[in-house]
Amino acid sequence: MLVQIIGVLAAITSSVAFSTASVFIKLSLRDIRDPFLVNGIRALFASLVYVPTLAYVGVGRLNPYIFAVIVASTVIGPGIGDVLFIMGVDKLGAGLATVLSYQYILIAQILNIFILHDFRGFIALYLTPLALLGMYLAVSEGGMRANLKGIIFSYAAAFAWGISTILVSYLVNTCNLPPIEVAGLRVIVLTPLLMSIGFRNIRTITKRALVILATSGVVSYFIGFILFTTSLRMLGVMIPSLATTLTPVLSQLISSKVLSEALTPRRVTGSLLIITSLILAVLLA
């Protein structure tokens, strides 16, 4: 039970770390408009922390197969998945794009059963629809607009994130790699990919944006990635993926304070549904 509690705390804390990303990105987009450059800078500063950390703790010998899986999980998830999500937001707005894309949780849970045969926290599969309903209530206020391309982009992001989550779980559970090693190598691989695309707009960087994105990179890509990967190691895919439904809701809670965005009863109700599903998942697992 203690392992489950620690794993859940790691998953929830990682969701808190991830939830700050949208607020930091909104602030930085006032100066930098290129999403590749924004995420590239975040990954760069996280890498500056990962490199000495991994040098201190050491990195095991990686065969070409393991390294290929790390690269694939990076390109598919934070690479392709995040870009597709941004494209979905552009076509649908943040509300519907989030609701559709976060169905990656169900995709990851189902793939986890059929591919990894990991049944830890299986009850979370039944509680995920409750959490998704809570997320829908929290992020859909103000209406949604339908667009076929946006729906395709959002569901494609869901599949990309789902596959990436399974690959990371495979690395830390089946291949028995340390979570910090997997998290660090993924960000180090991600950095040049994003920076090579966003480099053309490097002159738009301001000192203000640099400080914001450096902070975001350490919080999300360093602290968030390590904690989420650790929770996958301790709990499997089911409960940690369920916990990520907190991320968009917490983002709105933070925005209500930092960006003066409204916090409504509907959003509070959605948050409570998500929290309830998490508590039940832990108690019944």
Side-chain angles (χ1 to χ4, degrees):
M1 187 65 179
L2 180 60
V3 172
Q4 284 186 324
I5 293 173
I6 295 173
V8 170
L9 289 175
I12 292 174
T13 307
S14 71
S15 293
V16 174
F18 293 150
S19 69
T20 64
S22 64
V23 179
F24 282 124
I25 289 172
K26 283 181 182 178
L27 291 171
S28 67
L29 284 174
R30 296 173 182 174
D31 301 321
I32 306 173
R33 299 299 303 170
D34 187 336
F36 291 101
L37 182 59
V38 166
N39 282 337
I41 294 172
R42 294 171 66 227
L44 174 63
F45 278 95
S47 294
L48 294 178
V49 182
Y50 273 123
V51 169
T53 301
L54 292 178
Y56 176 76
V57 301
V59 177
R61 294 184 63 182
L62 300 175
N63 61 51
Y65 169 73
I66 295 296
F67 185 71
V69 176
I70 291 173
V71 172
S73 73
T74 303
V75 173
I76 294 172
I80 296 173
D82 286 7
V83 170
L84 287 168
F85 176 66
I86 292 171
M87 294 168 68
V89 170
D90 182 54
K91 297 291 184 181
L92 300 173
L96 183 55
T98 300
V99 170
L100 298 180
S101 296
Y102 268 74
Q103 291 181 43
Y104 95 88
I105 298 168
L106 288 170
I107 295 170
Q109 290 172 338
I110 292 170
L111 291 176
N112 176 63
I113 293 170
F114 287 102
I115 295 177
L116 299 183
H117 308 294
D118 185 352
F119 291 87
R120 287 177 292 172
F122 183 77
I123 189 66
L125 181 62
Y126 297 101
L127 293 167
T128 295
L130 178 63
L132 290 174
L133 172 61
M135 189 184 68
Y136 164 77
L137 291 175
V139 305
S140 64
E141 193 166 31
M144 298 183 179
R145 63 178 187 269
N147 177 283
L148 181 58
K149 286 186 177 179
I151 292 172
I152 293 173
F153 291 149
S154 298
Y155 270 119
F159 276 97
W161 288 345
I163 294 169
S164 178
T165 301
I166 292 301
L167 291 175
V168 174
S169 183
Y170 171 75
L171 289 167
V172 297
N173 287 303
T174 304
C175 301
N176 204 32
L177 267 62
I180 190 171
E181 185 176 320
V182 174
L185 291 175
R186 292 180 78 218
V187 173
I188 291 170
V189 168
L190 180 65
T191 301
L193 295 177
L194 293 174
M195 290 300 293
S196 63
I197 299 173
F199 186 79
R200 64 185 183 277
N201 293 313
I202 199 167
R203 292 184 179 180
T204 62
I205 298 175
T206 63
K207 290 183 179 179
R208 173 179 173 276
L210 203 60
V211 171
I212 292 171
L213 294 175
T215 304
S216 178
V218 173
V219 172
S220 295
Y221 282 149
F222 184 73
I223 297 174
F225 266 33
I226 290 175
L227 289 174
F228 182 70
T229 308
T230 299
S231 69
L232 289 176
R233 174 71 171 267
M234 301 179 77
L235 302 174
V237 169
M238 297 293 188
I239 294 177
S241 61
L242 173 63
T244 59
T245 55
L246 283 169
T247 299
V249 177
L250 290 171
S251 292
Q252 293 196 335
L253 294 176
I254 296 171
S255 295
S256 69
K257 299 296 183 182
V258 178
L259 302 177
S260 299
E261 295 181 359
L263 181 61
T264 65
R266 180 185 173 113
R267 291 175 178 173
V268 173
T269 301
S271 302
L272 291 175
L273 285 176
I274 294 172
I275 293 170
T276 299
S277 67
L278 278 171
I279 292 174
L280 290 174
V282 175
L283 293 177
L284 299 174

